[in-house]
Amino acid sequence: MFKKVVLLTAAAATLLTGAAQAQDKPILNASYDVAREVFAAINPKFQAQWKAQTGQDLKIDQSFAGTSRQAQDILQGKKVDTVTFNQVTDIDILAKRGLVSKDWQKAFPNNASPYYSTIAFLVRKGNPKNIKSWDDLVRDDVKVIFPNPKTSGNARYTYLGAWLYANEKFKGDQTKTKQFVGKLLHNVVNFPTGGRGATVAFAQNNQGDALLTFESEVINIAKSDEFKSGAYEIVVPPVSVLAEFPVAVVDKVVDEKGTRKVATAYLNYEYSREIQLLLTTFNYRVHHPDVAKVVADRYAKVRLIDPTKVLGSWDQIQAAHFAGGAMLDQLLSQRN
C-alpha cells in the first residue's frame, strides 16, 4: 500500500512538473513612456513565435515610464529582465552598478539599437507661429512643451538636439550655444516627467505652441484617432539629433530567474524583418536594409548629428550635461 502511494505521488509530481514546464517563466520588459502601443503590437507576435518554437506559453509584463526613472527603479530592486530604452546613458548606469554587462552594446547589432528616430516638432493647425527650425523655438513669442530632461530620455535628446544645432550654428562658441539652449529652456511652459504627459499638456490642455518629441511620436499623434481632430502639423527641422533606442538584457535578473534564453530571444526578435517592418508603421526609422529601402519615402529629409561624434562618449556627455550641477542644471537654474 505504501509503495502504491509513493508511486502515485511521484506520478502526480511528474504531471505537475510537465504542466509547469509548459508555462515558461514570465519576463518583465521596462520601456520608455510613449512605447505602449509599440510593445502592445510586438509582444503578442513574439509570444506566438515562442510558443511555436518551444511549445511554451510566455507571459510578458510591461513597465512604462521615463527611462531615467526606470533605471532608478531597477537599481532599487525592480526585477526587470529586459530594457528597451531611448537613452544609452540610462543603460550605462545599470552597467556601472553590475546589473548589465559592461559591453552590452556588443550583444546586439547596431550598438544594441534596433531602431532610431530624431527630434521633431508638433505644431497647431496652420502653424500659426510659422515654426520651421530650432531658431524659431527661441523666439520670444514661442512657447514649447517637452518632458523634463532629468527624468526623460526623450527630453535629453531634445536638449542635445538644440545644443548640437547651436554648437554648429555658432561654430563651437560655447557662450552663444549656452545662451541659445538657455533661451529654449526658458520658453518651456511645462516639464512633465515623461513623453506621455507632454503630449497631454500640448494636445489636451492646449499648452504651448510646439511639442518637442521623437519624430515617430509626432507622426503618431498627428495621425491618431485620439488627437487628429486637432489637425496638428508635423515639422521636421533640416538638422536634428540622432536618437537611438538601445536595448539590453538585465544580466543580474535573468541569471537569478533563469530567463536569459527567452530574454535574449525577445530582444533579437526586434531585429527580424517582420518587426523592423512593424516598427515603421509606428514611424520609427530602422536599420534593416530591405525595409529601410521600402519605406524611405515616408520620412522627411533631415541631417542627423550623432551626439558622440561631437560631444564625446556618452559618459562624457552625461558628466558635462546631465550630472548633478552640470550644464543642464546650470541652465535650468537660470529659467526664472
Side-chain angles (χ1 to χ4, degrees):
M1 180 66 177
F2 177 75
K3 192 173 191 181
K4 246 183 210 181
V5 171
V6 171
L7 289 172
L8 285 170
T9 303
T14 302
L15 287 171
L16 287 171
T17 302
Q21 287 175 342
Q23 173 72 52
D24 202 21
K25 293 179 181 177
I27 60 170
L28 173 59
N29 178 47
S31 199
Y32 49 98
D33 197 41
V34 296
R36 289 167 174 81
E37 292 80 8
V38 175
F39 288 97
I42 291 175
N43 290 353
K45 290 181 177 294
F46 179 73
Q47 287 169 313
Q49 176 177 282
W50 188 254
K51 174 76 170 178
Q53 290 179 344
T54 68
Q56 295 174 322
D57 293 312
L58 173 67
K59 182 183 179 187
I60 303 174
D61 294 319
Q62 279 287 166
S63 173
F64 300 103
T67 58
S68 296
R69 177 181 162 187
Q70 292 277 33
Q72 287 303 314
D73 287 347
I74 294 168
L75 290 175
Q76 291 168 15
K78 189 174 182 177
K79 299 298 183 182
V80 171
D81 300 81
T82 58
V83 292
T84 51
F85 280 0
N86 56 20
Q87 185 74 37
V88 168
T89 52
D90 290 323
I91 301 183
D92 279 342
I93 289 170
L94 302 179
K96 287 173 183 175
R97 295 287 290 274
L99 280 82
V100 170
S101 170
K102 290 190 182 300
D103 61 352
W104 63 269
Q105 284 189 292
K106 296 179 181 178
F108 300 96
N110 306 119
N111 290 323
S113 175
Y115 52 101
Y116 65 101
S117 189
T118 188
I119 295 298
F121 318 146
L122 189 69
V123 299
R124 303 195 184 279
K125 184 177 180 180
N127 193 5
K129 295 295 179 75
N130 194 32
I131 295 168
K132 300 293 185 185
S133 73
W134 293 97
D135 286 318
D136 296 310
L137 302 179
V138 300
R139 292 178 358 219
D140 291 338
D141 65 325
V142 172
K143 299 301 178 186
V144 301
I145 298 282
F146 63 89
N148 189 336
K150 302 295 287 185
T151 57
S152 168
N154 172 339
R156 291 187 184 194
Y157 275 119
T158 295
Y159 168 93
L160 288 172
W163 186 279
L164 291 165
Y165 172 80
N167 179 73
E168 192 173 88
K169 174 185 174 75
F170 298 119
K171 298 179 171 55
D173 186 320
Q174 189 170 66
T175 299
K176 291 182 179 179
T177 300
K178 286 169 62 176
Q179 290 173 345
F180 184 95
V181 179
K183 178 60 176 172
L184 173 63
L185 293 172
H186 181 269
N187 284 354
V188 177
V189 294
N190 193 344
F191 272 129
T193 57
R196 187 67 57 172
T199 298
V200 169
F202 178 78
Q204 293 184 350
N205 300 339
N206 294 313
Q207 296 179 7
D209 302 301
L211 171 67
L212 280 54
T213 186
F214 291 125
E215 173 193 46
S216 52
E217 181 68 1
V218 165
I219 299 171
N220 290 340
I221 296 167
K223 293 182 177 179
S224 72
D225 291 335
E226 183 179 2
F227 299 115
K228 69 181 179 183
S229 60
Y232 303 107
E233 297 183 15
I234 300 161
V235 176
V236 180
V239 178
S240 198
V241 61
L242 169 66
E244 296 181 300
F245 288 72
V247 302
V249 170
V250 183
D251 296 275
K252 184 175 180 180
V253 173
V254 298
D255 287 341
E256 286 177 0
K257 292 174 59 178
T259 54
R260 177 176 291 279
K261 181 178 178 181
V262 63
T264 303
Y266 177 66
L267 295 183
N268 271 322
Y269 188 54
E270 290 193 30
Y271 291 88
S272 68
R273 190 183 192 283
E274 177 187 18
I275 298 305
Q276 291 275 289
L277 193 57
L278 175 67
L279 286 164
T280 68
T281 68
F282 291 94
N283 303 298
Y284 291 105
R285 299 179 185 234
V286 299
H287 298 285
H288 193 289
D290 293 343
V291 177
K293 185 176 181 180
V294 168
V295 301
D297 292 341
R298 292 188 197 173
Y299 301 97
K301 302 297 182 187
V302 55
R303 179 165 59 84
L304 299 180
I305 303 176
D306 182 342
T308 63
K309 303 296 185 188
V310 179
L311 303 176
S313 69
W314 280 110
D315 276 347
Q316 291 172 311
I317 293 171
Q318 172 68 19
H321 291 273
F322 302 122
M327 186 62 67
L328 173 63
D329 280 350
Q330 294 171 30
L331 295 176
L332 286 175
S333 71
Q334 299 169 11
R335 288 186 73 223
N336 299 323

